[in-house]
Amino acid sequence: MTDAELVGRTRAGDPDAFGTLVARYYDACWRFAYHMLGERADAEDVVQDSFLRAYLAIGRYDERDQFRGWLFRILTNQCRNFLTSRGRRTRRFVQDELAIESAAAPPPGLALGMEDAAVVRALAQLDALQREALLLKYAEGLEYSEMSAMTGAGESALKMRVKRGSERLRALLAEMKDRGV
């Protein structure tokens, strides 16, 4: 069954149809949120909230858009909101960079080579917009036009974020390798 058919059934009051959409996109959403936020529990909370928001807003979904893109727009905004609120909270505390760097190892089974702990730590050190662009481009395999529709940023800005993020990621990984991390 297509996404459009499932959305139509959800709008008609079939809760199982939305459950199918959740099952179809949960892993990709969770993987993106985890890499954006760096914490399993935070990723879980943001993904759950995103699906709830999508369900409540299903009446406003425009069938001309891909459901996946619409859902990821919601998820991206929720990740941004969470990072903003986290920034307000963490500014009140002294951060131990060594503890942050050696913190959580990634969960097993992450796709596309993202299971490497060094990559996860390096991604966490990137600017949030660069990390977001890299994940959408390489982890989710989106085209720049899709990324632009999801984030509201222009394609040229996204290309620059991906370029600068890739350069910074390479430098961080080389630095970690040199330090033996």
Side-chain angles (χ1 to χ4, degrees):
M1 190 172 290
T2 68
D3 290 350
E5 292 169 331
L6 290 168
V7 167
R9 289 180 61 188
T10 300
R11 286 178 172 165
D14 179 0
D16 293 334
F18 192 76
T20 302
L21 288 168
V22 170
R24 187 173 289 174
Y25 292 108
Y26 187 86
D27 289 344
C29 288
W30 189 89
R31 186 176 52 247
F32 177 80
Y34 175 76
H35 286 298
M36 280 300 296
L37 306 175
E39 296 289 333
R40 296 179 78 144
D42 294 343
E44 183 72 31
D45 289 345
V46 167
V47 169
Q48 292 293 326
D49 190 44
S50 296
F51 277 113
L52 175 62
R53 288 175 183 270
Y55 182 76
L56 295 173
I58 201 81
R60 293 190 308 267
Y61 168 69
D62 183 351
E63 290 85 9
R64 292 175 293 187
D65 292 334
Q66 290 183 353
F67 179 80
R68 181 177 189 253
W70 181 74
L71 177 62
F72 265 80
R73 250 190 319 272
I74 293 169
L75 178 63
T76 300
N77 286 332
Q78 290 305 109
C79 286
R80 288 176 178 176
N81 292 342
F82 186 88
L83 288 170
T84 299
S85 69
R86 179 195 286 169
R88 281 189 231 118
R89 285 191 313 250
T90 57
R91 272 186 244 136
R92 297 181 192 142
F93 301 100
V94 175
Q95 290 194 8
D96 181 350
E97 293 301 322
L98 186 58
I100 290 171
E101 186 175 305
S102 64
L110 291 179
L112 302 174
M114 296 296 186
E115 66 278 351
D116 185 334
V119 172
V120 172
R121 284 195 299 271
L123 276 170
Q125 294 178 52
L126 292 178
D127 168 81
L129 293 176
Q130 289 175 353
R131 181 171 58 246
E132 176 184 277
L134 280 174
L135 291 171
L136 290 173
K137 180 68 180 161
Y138 296 117
E140 300 306 322
L142 298 176
E143 299 296 324
Y144 286 107
S145 59
E146 294 172 294
M147 293 167 59
S148 178
M150 292 168 78
T151 62
E155 290 184 36
S156 60
L158 289 166
K159 287 176 184 177
M160 187 56 68
R161 288 176 191 169
V162 168
K163 179 183 182 297
R164 288 182 178 159
S166 296
E167 291 169 352
R168 177 80 175 121
L169 187 64
R170 269 191 228 94
L172 288 167
L173 290 170
E175 183 181 308
M176 288 177 179
K177 185 177 178 186
D178 290 344
R179 291 191 333 229
V181 176

